[in-house]
Amino acid sequence: MTEQTDILIRGARLAAELAERGGDHLAAAPVDLRLSGGAIVERTAAGSLVPRVDERVIEADGLVALTGLVDLHTHLREPGFEQSETVLTGTRAAAAGGFTTVFAMANTLPVQDTAGVVEQVQRLGDAAGYATVRPIGAVTEDLAGERLSEIGAMAQSRAGVRVFSDDGKCVHDPLLMRRALEYVRTFDGVIAQHAQDPRLTEGAQMNEGSLSSELGLKGWPAVAEESIIARDVLLAEHTGARLHICHLSTAGSVEVVRWAKARGVQVTAEVTPHHLILTEELVRSYDPRYKVNPPLRREEDVQALRAAVADGVIDIIATDHAPHPVEAKECEWDAAAFGMVGLESALPIALLTLVQTGHASWAELERLLSQKPAEIGRLDGHPAALVPGEPADLVLVDPSGASAFGADRLRGLSVNSPFLGMELPGRVVTTIRRGALTLDDGELVPAEQVAARAAVAGPR
Ligand SMILES: NC(=O)N[C@@H](CC(=O)O)C(=O)O
């Protein structure tokens, strides 16, 4: 069944029309949406569109519709680490989480530092069809921090790379950082910095403070993140280039970004779902599921990050989905890998920490998880809103009730989620990419079907 079926969504509430913080998700008037040929073709008051023969009808009463989620920070692990994740399995996790596009981080093997490798990753994404895959290019060759990679060749390649990052490592050399910023400015690219001074964090295992002393684990001071952000916003101002800061984790980082934005520096910032809820106290368990880079911080930091989302200092939520095989996580704390999976839990955690607490409205959530990351990544073909004429990339969410987040909710290869067993609100019910279902009533659409439809639609 490779043909594109038209879809009629009946009675959905649009997140964009739920602009009140703390408001009821049923406050907006329900609408019907008709999707055909990969686009939204009609939008009317609920009850006015009559189903056509062969049209798939989705009853969306009580559900909230958002433009497809976009993750600016996903580790897909292919090529090189296919025991952790592949482009196919990672994009299945994405579809299950409501994402229609993921930006794939460069720390693969070989590293995504040439046109050939980024094109390969994009091709794998196109073929799988569960999500649009936009590769991120490495800033430096082999992520070694010594020479700039082929930034221009990656930008001009078929992959059209616009986001560059050595994530997992910091671009520490200030001259290289300056040159990278100057280079990407010429084609409106952006450097996404993993802000971590390597000298201040040698051997670091958790947040530095009284708890790290108590637990006997080497600490990771907040200043290691904040000092790099301070330097880089000044370099961004000096070069006039766009800078994006990955995974802000401290209250001090928020203050530096706030200061830079007030000066007019072109800086944007992301926070991960886990830094919006988890604290260093969890490290007391020595359970490596809580080992992540940057580390879990203090409750004051969590609250500062939420407030920074509320007041716009933080622009987006990005998952930093970092899958690792069990052997890298079921071991002693010191030996364990840094990272957590996050694609499937991002929306529930954002609902819990931001929407239910009154820090963000549904409309702002759409901005944080879809519109703004697409804008920062200069993503073409992403719907600006759920209106006729726009591409049909969208997600339907059931916000009512809460349920235990079980292993059955994880659809990637790895299971290193810190949220397993937690009671979380919000179920992603349906994900539609380019007018075709990737998640249907909570179930992933079979891979052959998704791939066949993607082949008919062609690369984006
Ligand atoms: N965020 C993480 O904890 N892990 C990331 C990279 C990194 O170490 O930042 C990974 O690739 O595993």
Side-chain angles (χ1 to χ4, degrees):
M1 213 191 51
T2 59
E3 251 143 71
Q4 180 83 43
T5 315
D6 289 356
I7 296 174
L8 175 59
I9 298 170
R10 295 211 283 202
R13 263 81 177 185
L14 302 178
E17 295 189 352
L18 295 164
E20 193 193 332
R21 287 183 183 170
D24 180 352
H25 74 273
L26 299 174
V31 300
D32 290 349
L33 293 169
R34 173 163 279 138
L35 318 180
S36 181
I40 300 164
V41 292
E42 280 183 90
R43 174 173 136 184
T44 65
S48 25
L49 293 184
V50 181
R52 295 176 181 154
V53 187
D54 290 343
E55 194 168 50
R56 170 68 196 276
V57 177
I58 296 175
E59 300 296 352
D61 188 28
L63 306 186
V64 179
L66 299 87
T67 49
L69 308 188
V70 176
D71 189 21
L72 199 62
H73 194 146
T74 303
H75 295 276
L76 287 178
R77 304 290 192 225
E78 187 177 5
F81 303 102
E82 290 86 352
Q83 74 282 19
S84 303
E85 196 77 285
T86 66
V87 172
L88 174 64
T89 62
T91 53
R92 280 167 67 86
F99 291 87
T100 50
T101 296
V102 295
F103 284 76
M105 271 300 170
N107 61 344
T108 51
L109 191 65
V111 167
Q112 288 167 205
D113 60 2
T114 63
V117 182
V118 291
E119 285 181 350
Q120 180 196 356
V121 170
Q122 177 143 308
R123 262 196 309 275
L124 290 166
D126 289 342
Y130 280 101
T132 299
V133 174
R134 305 287 292 134
I136 291 174
V139 177
T140 68
E141 278 177 22
D142 213 22
L143 306 176
E146 282 164 17
R147 278 180 305 275
L148 287 186
S149 62
E150 297 177 8
I151 289 177
M154 288 189 273
Q156 281 160 29
S157 73
R158 221 179 49 83
V161 179
R162 288 293 173 273
V163 184
F164 294 84
S165 182
D166 275 4
D167 181 69
K169 294 194 176 160
C170 179
V171 182
H172 184 231
D173 179 335
L175 181 59
L176 271 180
M177 187 61 180
R178 175 188 177 174
R179 294 282 177 252
L181 287 163
E182 286 169 343
Y183 204 156
V184 298
R185 194 180 87 107
T186 61
F187 55 84
D188 195 26
V190 62
I191 302 291
Q193 174 69 298
H194 174 127
Q196 179 191 352
D197 188 300
R199 292 279 289 145
L200 289 172
T201 53
E202 270 167 28
Q205 293 288 324
M206 68 170 292
N207 181 45
E208 181 179 294
S210 54
L211 187 61
S212 61
S213 310
E214 187 187 324
L215 299 180
L217 292 172
K218 191 135 191 266
W220 190 311
V223 68
E225 176 171 310
E226 294 154 8
S227 58
I228 295 291
I229 298 176
R231 180 201 76 178
D232 286 354
V233 294
L234 291 172
L235 285 173
E237 180 173 54
H238 181 71
T239 56
R242 291 199 295 134
L243 169 70
H244 177 73
I245 309 293
C246 297
H247 40 50
L248 250 67
S249 71
T250 75
S253 294
V254 169
E255 287 318 304
V256 179
V257 174
R258 188 190 306 281
W259 173 84
K261 286 190 165 187
R263 277 172 78 88
V265 176
Q266 294 190 72
V267 59
T268 51
E270 79 190 26
V271 64
T272 69
H274 46 271
H275 289 110
L276 286 171
I277 186 166
L278 307 178
T279 70
E280 63 173 3
E281 281 298 319
L282 291 160
V283 180
R284 284 187 186 280
S285 67
Y286 291 100
D287 181 342
R289 278 196 302 154
Y290 303 119
K291 185 172 176 181
V292 68
N293 178 349
L296 302 179
R297 305 282 190 182
R298 305 160 309 161
E299 180 62 28
E300 302 92 284
D301 296 301
V302 167
Q303 293 307 329
L305 293 166
R306 291 185 187 184
V309 171
D311 65 22
V313 170
I314 288 177
D315 300 86
I316 68 168
I317 298 168
T319 70
D320 194 5
H321 178 82
H324 289 291
V326 273
E327 56 275 21
K329 280 296 196 180
E330 285 182 8
C331 53
E332 282 182 19
W333 181 275
D334 280 23
F338 289 96
M340 303 171 165
V341 294
L343 286 165
E344 303 95 329
S345 47
L347 193 103
I349 298 295
L351 283 177
L352 182 66
T353 59
L354 299 175
V355 176
Q356 293 190 350
T357 57
H359 286 84
S361 66
W362 278 93
E364 288 166 324
L365 195 69
E366 182 177 74
R367 187 121 188 96
L368 289 161
L369 273 163
S370 175
Q371 293 304 318
K372 191 71 188 188
E375 197 181 304
I376 294 168
R378 297 294 188 258
L379 176 64
D380 294 330
H382 185 68
L386 296 179
V387 293
E390 290 291 322
D393 280 18
L394 63 94
V395 54
L396 297 173
V397 180
D398 180 359
S400 64
S403 52
F405 189 83
D408 58 313
R409 299 274 285 273
L410 298 177
R411 306 301 174 87
L413 262 190
S414 297
V415 294
N416 51 306
S417 166
F419 303 119
L420 288 174
M422 274 178 69
E423 200 61 22
L424 298 181
R427 219 168 220 287
V428 176
V429 178
T430 301
T431 309
I432 296 175
R433 172 178 176 257
R434 307 180 76 190
L437 286 157
T438 53
L439 185 79
D440 187 359
D441 204 7
E443 293 302 324
L444 284 165
V445 175
E448 320 74 64
Q449 205 169 314
V450 171
R453 290 215 169 120
V456 172
R460 175 164 254 168

